[in-house]
Amino acid sequence: MELNDKTALITGAAGFLGSHLCDRFIAEGCKVIAMDNLITGDLRNIEHLKKHPKFTFVLHDVSKYVAIDEHLDYILHFASPASPIDYLKIPIQTLKVGSLGTHNLLGLALHKKATILVASTSEIYGDPLVHPQPEDYWGNVNPVGPRGVYDEAKRFQEAMTMAYHTAKGLDTRIVRIFNTYGARMRLNDGRALPAFFGQALRGEDITVFGDGSQTRSFCYVDDLIEGIVRLLHSGYHQPVNIGNPDEVTIARFAQEIIALTGSKQKVIFKPLPIDDPKQRQPDISRARKILKWQPQVSRHEGLKTTYNYFKNLPTDEWFKPVHDFQ
Ligand code: UDP
């Protein structure tokens, strides 16, 4: 399977991961139809592709019927708010894009005889009772908590995708994405990594939630994109975890960012948000075996590159308040 001269619809294309996917697909000679409703996405992330002959942007909310005239080989569904603070602000849109949006795109894929890859998440494991998390762990999710709108939409998305595969023979892929970072994350999306970098750049104290003993495992964006492309080409229909198993406590992570940025500020502790998972680490045995994939970029290296990106943003970007999107 090649991407050269194929056509892909990428939803959430102006977002963090969507824009990196657009870059990769264009680099491999694929024609890209980039779709986004720009609620949390930003056209600046794909500005550099605007004039490329194989790139088209369509402003559309995939929760509404999606009409595409062209033949499609691939659909990659990456449209969704993805930070806890975003889904608190736009819970209904979060539910709709994962459920109705997925349904529309599955229908489109069927109609076009396209292969569809949907972006799922480690959030489907909730606050996990099994550690690290393998794909056959079913999770521990609070459906009515603040994260429920994202977690349950993504769980429904997986169920719906699998149903289209088993009932209709659609060629489907499900990637479970663990915490990922890199250039084009929104500095004000409230997540730990952009929050800490933003605070360091503004000379503010670093806000660790809870006692900082909760863990996450951060994957550099280039590694993630490579895993996704391999999954697309694999023909494998069960969910696959893609993430970096190098787990770290949030307290230690804050110290790493302080060391990297040379920040003189101190760590201050704030209350832990409701249902904040205590631990998270992907079991990537399946990805290693089936995709021959594992992350290549160390956290030290990835954080340096990401810091350079944030540092070089126009200074007013550093000062945009959290929640500053339409
Ligand atoms: N976190 C923190 N300070 C912040 C933002 C987040 O300590 O300013 C914590 C958060 O409570 C969580 C971890 O960092 O335990 C990762 O949070 P993030 O929002 O990045 O992702 P998620 O919880 O979805 O993995």
Side-chain angles (χ1 to χ4, degrees):
M1 250 200 226
E2 281 219 348
L3 294 179
N4 191 25
D5 283 336
K6 298 286 193 329
T7 304
L9 170 67
I10 298 180
T11 75
F16 165 45
L17 297 181
S19 66
H20 284 277
L21 273 177
C22 289
D23 281 343
R24 174 70 185 255
F25 277 55
I26 287 286
E28 293 209 21
C30 191
K31 186 172 167 201
V32 170
I33 303 172
M35 189 170 276
D36 205 298
N37 66 357
L38 300 181
I39 293 190
T40 57
D42 189 332
L43 279 180
R44 283 175 299 185
N45 290 335
I46 45 174
E47 179 72 29
H48 58 290
L49 296 173
K50 218 170 64 183
K51 295 211 169 74
H52 195 286
K54 289 192 168 180
F55 185 82
T56 327
F57 177 74
V58 182
L59 180 67
H60 183 68
D61 179 350
V62 296
S63 307
K64 314 244 162 61
Y65 184 83
V66 183
I68 301 282
D69 293 334
E70 287 97 323
H71 160 82
L72 290 178
D73 298 291
Y74 303 112
I75 298 176
L76 292 103
H77 183 24
F78 277 70
S80 178
S83 106
I85 229 158
D86 288 352
Y87 22 96
L88 274 179
K89 188 183 180 195
I90 42 173
I92 314 288
Q93 287 97 326
T94 304
L95 277 158
K96 283 169 75 177
V97 73
S99 55
L100 307 182
T102 300
H103 188 207
N104 288 335
L105 294 165
L106 288 165
L108 180 66
L110 202 61
H111 180 67
K112 299 283 184 187
K113 298 188 174 52
T115 298
I116 180 166
L117 182 149
V118 298
S120 187
T121 163
S122 53
E123 280 286 326
I124 64 104
Y125 300 120
D127 189 0
L129 305 176
V130 168
H131 192 73
Q133 294 80 53
E135 289 87 349
D136 55 10
Y137 174 54
W138 296 345
N140 176 38
V141 170
N142 175 4
V144 293
R147 289 175 178 250
V149 296
Y150 184 60
D151 302 7
E152 295 296 358
K154 291 294 189 181
R155 291 173 70 95
F156 176 86
Q157 174 183 63
E158 289 200 10
M160 184 71 125
T161 302
M162 199 46 82
Y164 265 74
H165 173 65
T166 49
K168 297 189 182 279
L170 187 66
D171 192 25
T172 55
R173 313 279 187 276
I174 299 171
V175 57
R176 289 187 182 151
I177 299 171
F178 282 67
N179 294 65
T180 300
Y181 68 97
R184 305 186 195 144
M185 284 185 103
R186 246 177 44 236
L187 197 51
N188 66 343
D189 81 357
R191 279 187 284 188
L193 184 144
F196 294 168
F197 274 130
Q199 288 158 350
L201 287 166
R202 293 187 297 269
E204 295 171 3
D205 290 337
I206 307 293
T207 56
V208 166
F209 297 163
D211 62 4
S213 63
Q214 72 273 30
T215 67
R216 293 294 184 274
S217 308
F218 295 95
C219 182
Y220 186 60
V221 63
D222 290 358
D223 281 333
L224 183 95
I225 298 294
E226 177 61 28
I228 288 169
V229 170
R230 287 187 189 209
L231 176 61
L232 185 67
H233 293 332
S234 70
Y236 188 76
H237 304 294
Q238 292 297 318
V240 179
N241 288 339
I242 299 285
N244 190 326
D246 187 5
E247 185 180 358
V248 63
T249 65
I250 293 300
R252 169 145 182 221
F253 186 59
Q255 291 303 336
E256 288 179 0
I257 293 199
I258 288 174
L260 172 65
T261 57
S263 165
K264 302 278 179 292
Q265 309 311 123
K266 60 181 185 305
V267 165
I268 54 169
F269 293 91
K270 297 247 173 132
L272 193 66
I274 298 167
D275 294 340
D276 197 283
K278 283 181 277 307
Q279 52 182 5
R280 183 182 287 156
Q281 188 204 125
D283 178 333
I284 58 164
S285 318
R286 188 176 281 182
R288 281 189 214 272
K289 185 163 170 239
I290 291 169
L291 312 179
K292 310 273 177 281
W293 174 89
Q294 61 180 18
Q296 306 294 327
V297 181
S298 69
R299 196 166 59 243
H300 184 68
E301 215 180 310
L303 285 180
K304 265 202 306 199
T305 314
T306 308
Y307 179 48
N308 277 334
Y309 166 78
F310 286 137
K311 212 169 41 181
N312 290 319
L313 286 175
T315 319
D316 57 333
E317 290 289 321
W318 301 355
F319 289 91
K320 274 194 178 165
V322 167
H323 268 170
D324 184 19
F325 61 85
Q326 301 96 323

